[in-house]
Structures are given as structure tokens and as C-alpha cells.
Amino acid sequence: PAGPAPPPQTDKKSTGPAAAAGSTHEAFPPVGGKALPRRAISPIEIMPGSVAPAVGPVPWRVVCTVGVFEYRAAAVRLLESELPRPARVLEIGCHLGTTTALLNARAHALGGGSAIGVDVSRRIVERARRLHPSVAFQKADAWDVVAIQEVGRGASLLLLDVGGVSSAHAELDAVALLAQLRSALPSLRAAVVKSHCLRSLASQLQPWRGVGAGGGPRAAAAAGAAAAAA
């Protein structure tokens, strides 16, 4: 006999890997009159600091996520606890606009903020506008600095969900794109990236204090030698 039918999905982005054991649960507010399903969200690795430390006066952080529910939960947490208000959100790779609409509503409720969605496909942008007429959407390429500067002016939170940065070996492309976006939008204080490769990389990174703060490879080697001699 046939097994049970799979649960319905709300949109193209609603698929994702099963959450890890011991994860917490998040509830999301209705979007377009339909409540998002309640799902388990696996822990989120956070990369503090900037991928482009010499660019822009405002420190920022990059949050690496996998799956749409982890992606949305990270953005909501940043909106609620870490960003100045009113917040302006820019989502690059918005597809049908469900996440953009969710964050537009949340940012507006938290002090009159807003969100804008960007996608490289004009047809997708037009459809997102029909689905969410009260939310702003624009056509632009993630690598088009001039276009991103225009639509993202004043943004404090970036969401990045584009195919080129999510594959297994796209770390360099992902970091290069983040550095370029940070340079183009110095007002950014945080970014949430949906990327398997960056999520894996973030889980393996260790803090490095830097040469100026007495850290770095030479300091580590000296400390190790001193400990061995003691």
C-alpha cells in the first residue's frame, strides 16, 4: 500500500533538510493570509566580524544558514534583537517574495521598517509583485554594484539566497560576493546567507585575535613552545 502523503509546501523555498536533534521550534506570523507551518530549526552558526574588515565604518556579522526556515528565523532574530530601528531589509534572490513579505511585516511592526526584494528574473519579480502588492520588488543582479547600491541604499540587514553561493565548493564566490555587497552598502550591520558551503565553513572556523592584538600563527607557535618548555 502507498505510504502517507508528504506534507504540502508553501512555496518553492519551503523545502529543506531535516532539523538536527535537540533543535528549537519557531513559529512564524501569517504571510499573505496563510500561516507558515511550524518546523524544527537546527542551530545557527554565526561568523562574527566582517568578511571585508577594511570596508565601511559599521561592524557587521554574517549568519550562515541552511534551509528556508533557519534562514527566516535568523533574519527575524537579528531584526528583533540586534538591529537599530526602523530597520531596512534587502533580500537578494527573493524569488516569489514570501520571505521578503514576512520580513517587511516584521520590520514594520518593529518601528516602521521595511523590506525590499531583488531577483535577477523579471518574470519572477512581476509575479512577486502580484502576490505581495504592498511589498517593493526590483529586478537586479547580485553582482551589479550600481543596481544594488540603488535599491539597497540604507539597508541594515542583507539576506542572500542565490544559487551561485550555495553549492558545495563555492566558498570563494560567496565570500567575494559578500565583500562586494558590504563595500557597496556600508550601512549593512548583518547578513543572513543561505549557503551549505558557508554553513560548513562557519562551523569549522576558530577565532583569531590578529597580529596587532598579540595573536596570529607566530604568537600561537611561541605559546606552544613556552608550554612545552614549562
Side-chain angles (χ1 to χ4, degrees):
Q9 300 295 336
T10 56
D11 58 44
K12 182 178 178 182
K13 288 189 175 183
S14 296
T15 59
S23 59
T24 58
H25 288 266
E26 295 282 340
F28 297 97
V31 176
K34 181 186 293 186
L36 294 171
R38 194 177 183 88
R39 296 287 182 88
I41 299 170
S42 55
I44 298 170
E45 279 78 27
I46 295 178
M47 297 166 56
S50 172
V51 297
V55 179
V58 182
W60 81 324
R61 63 169 41 179
V62 177
V63 183
C64 307
T65 67
V66 173
V68 66
F69 289 93
E70 187 175 298
Y71 175 72
R72 291 172 181 167
V76 169
R77 287 171 185 165
L78 288 169
L79 271 179
E80 292 179 343
S81 63
E82 297 191 26
L83 296 179
R85 301 174 186 176
R88 178 166 168 78
V89 182
L90 169 66
E91 183 180 22
I92 299 178
C94 65
H95 193 59
L96 296 182
T98 303
T99 299
T100 307
L102 167 68
L103 294 178
N104 184 72
R106 185 62 63 92
H108 182 75
L110 293 172
S114 63
I116 181 170
V118 168
D119 201 279
V120 72
S121 168
R122 185 177 301 278
R123 183 168 57 182
I124 289 294
V125 167
E126 291 173 353
R127 188 174 176 189
R129 288 171 177 167
R130 292 193 298 270
L131 289 171
H132 310 285
S134 63
V135 182
F137 296 96
Q138 295 290 336
K139 178 186 179 299
D141 189 287
W143 294 92
D144 187 338
V145 175
V146 175
I148 294 300
Q149 282 180 319
E150 181 66 26
V151 300
R153 184 177 293 112
S156 54
L157 175 61
L158 168 70
L159 275 75
L160 186 62
D161 182 9
V162 296
V165 303
S166 61
S167 62
H169 304 290
E171 294 92 343
L172 294 180
D173 286 341
V175 171
L177 180 55
L178 283 169
Q180 177 172 293
L181 292 169
R182 168 63 165 160
S183 178
L185 302 171
S187 58
L188 288 176
R189 299 202 174 198
V192 179
V193 188
K194 192 198 289 185
S195 170
H196 285 267
C197 63
L198 282 190
R199 177 74 143 72
S200 176
L201 176 64
S203 67
Q204 300 173 51
L205 293 178
Q206 297 294 328
W208 183 49
R209 295 172 58 192
V211 175
R218 292 184 179 178

